[in-house]
């Protein structure tokens, strides 16, 4: 059978002051009327019923996950005692799935992305599942067509000289590239063989476990110890012990950049990772006054601003600002700088201002 695994453990620090420890980005209606994780589950309905969806989240969000995902069987909401990056989270899902259905195919998806072309996305996942079954040792990802030179995303370079029979949009991945500077992003954009790295993955569950065994043996050993404790009274203690010893490593760095057979499907699905307030600004309709966001605002000789506030906001002689209000804090930053909002969170931690986290 085929299963979706939704990764929901992110902290959403770039969306402070709205995103907080107890209600991070994925649980909020950012750029969507519904909470982002709920929209993700709804989007998958044509391919995955609730009993074929697993969610990996944080123990501290147990109540939020249960409330927002009340259609998902409770035993399919897998709770991490604390974050250990994406390799550990995917490994946790893989051992549960291998116990549940040893021949399963995993479709691993972030919980907080926006997909503008939902039907094309579902068709893409269906194609990816078929490719994973046809290439049982392959690790698949999705390469997204760039629409601009972007410094906030990683990139994949595709080998366009090697084609896969029956899958015209599938390519071997030649190179993984980290987030580039602007000049490099322009070069990637103009080259034509680079795509954005989506952070979505498709593979046979057994294939990713074999990859962990080969490329991350320390992680694999902990996963196997933990697997033996599933459905036993010792599971929670085993989980805590395993996570305390697991490496804090991303799946890209730990596995994908090292693996021999990595394939990508090139896609154009109206995607955004909604990774910053700048992304929200780009997705929010602009009003007649040249600004976006809250309708209760006055703008005098001010354009290009994003405002999200419950109070009246008056803008006088300012352009290209982001103004975000929460119950107890206000963020003001220049457009183009919102990736640095996470530095505010770091400063709050250093100053022990825990009530704002």
């Amino acid at each position: 059978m085929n299963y979706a695994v939704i990764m929901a453990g992110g902290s959403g620090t770039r969306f402070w002051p709205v995103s907080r420890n107890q209600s991070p980005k994925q649980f909020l209606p950012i750029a969507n009327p519904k909470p982002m994780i709920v929209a993700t589950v709804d989007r998958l309905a044509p391919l995955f019923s609730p009993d074929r969806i697993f969610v990996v989240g944080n123990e501290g969000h147990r109540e939020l996950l249960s409330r927002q995902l009340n259609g998902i069987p409770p035993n399919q909401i897998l709770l991490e005692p604390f974050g250990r990056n994406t390799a550990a989270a995917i490994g946790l899902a893989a051992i549960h799935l291998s116990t549940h259905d040893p021949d399963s195919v995993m479709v691993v998806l972030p919980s907080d992305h926006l997909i503008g072309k939902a039907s094309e996305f579902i068709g893409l996942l269906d194609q990816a599942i078929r490719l994973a079954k046809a290439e049982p040792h392959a690790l698949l990802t999705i390469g997204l067509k760039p629409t601009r030179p972007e410094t906030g995303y990683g990139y994949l370079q595709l080998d366009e000289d090697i084609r896969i029979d029956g899958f015209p949009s599938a390519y071997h991945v030649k190179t993984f590239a980290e987030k580039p500077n602007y000049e490099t992003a322009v070069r990637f954009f103009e080259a034509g063989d680079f795509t954005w790295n989506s952070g979505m993955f498709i593979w046979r569950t057994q294939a990713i476990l074999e990859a962990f065994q080969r490329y991350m043996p320390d992680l694999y050993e902990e996963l196997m110890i933990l697997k033996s404790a599933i459905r036993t009274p010792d599971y929670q203690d085993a989980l805590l012990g395993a996570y305390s010893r697991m490496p804090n490593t991303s799946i890209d760095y730990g596995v994908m950049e090292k693996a021999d057979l990595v394939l990508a499907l090139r896609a154009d699905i109206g995607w955004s990772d909604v990774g910053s307030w700048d992304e929200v600004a780009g997705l929010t309709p602009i009003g007649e006054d040249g600004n976006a966001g809250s309708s209760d605002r006055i703008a005098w000789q001010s354009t290009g601003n994003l405002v999200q506030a419950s109070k009246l906001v008056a803008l006088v002689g300012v352009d290209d600002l982001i103004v975000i209000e929460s119950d107890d804090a206000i963020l003001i930053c220049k457009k183009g700088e919102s990736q640095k909002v996470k530095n505010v969170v770091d400063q709050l931690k250093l100053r022990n201002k825990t009530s704002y986290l």
Side-chain angles (χ1 to χ4, degrees), residues 47-68:
L47 278 182
F48 301 100
S49 57
D51 64 323
R52 287 168 50 203
I53 296 176
F54 282 70
V55 179
V56 182
N58 189 286
E59 173 65 44
H61 301 144
R62 177 190 291 268
E63 184 180 340
L64 260 177
L65 287 161
S66 177
R67 184 168 69 249
Q68 293 195 358

Side-chain angles (χ1 to χ4, degrees), residues 304-325:
N305 300 291
L306 170 69
V307 177
Q308 287 195 5
S310 60
K311 302 178 179 67
L312 170 69
V313 174
L315 305 167
V316 179
V318 295
D319 299 329
D320 299 323
L321 292 182
I322 294 170
V323 181
I324 309 295
E325 177 207 31

Side-chain angles (χ1 to χ4, degrees), residues 118-136:
S119 59
E120 287 91 336
F121 174 64
I122 290 299
L124 180 73
L125 293 187
D126 182 60
Q127 183 183 166
I129 291 167
R130 289 188 289 106
L131 179 54
K133 292 177 178 178
E135 297 280 353

Side-chain angles (χ1 to χ4, degrees), residues 181-252:
N181 59 31
Y182 184 74
E183 292 74 17
T184 304
V186 170
R187 193 167 73 250
F188 288 171
F189 181 68
E190 293 176 347
D193 58 344
F194 282 85
T195 65
W196 288 336
N197 185 350
S198 68
M200 305 181 205
F201 307 99
I202 306 93
W203 43 51
R204 290 175 58 252
T205 303
Q206 191 57 37
I208 190 60
L209 288 174
E210 290 170 357
F212 282 134
Q213 184 177 21
R214 180 173 180 183
Y215 302 111
M216 299 187 70
D218 291 347
L219 175 66
Y220 179 79
E221 181 178 347
E222 296 298 337
L223 291 173
M224 291 302 102
I225 294 171
L226 182 56
K227 182 179 178 180
S228 68
I230 292 175
R231 298 178 188 153
T232 76
D234 299 326
Y235 175 74
Q236 290 299 328
D237 287 341
L239 178 66
L240 183 59
Y243 263 69
S244 68
R245 296 184 294 269
M246 284 178 179
N248 186 355
T249 307
S250 72
I251 192 69
D252 277 356

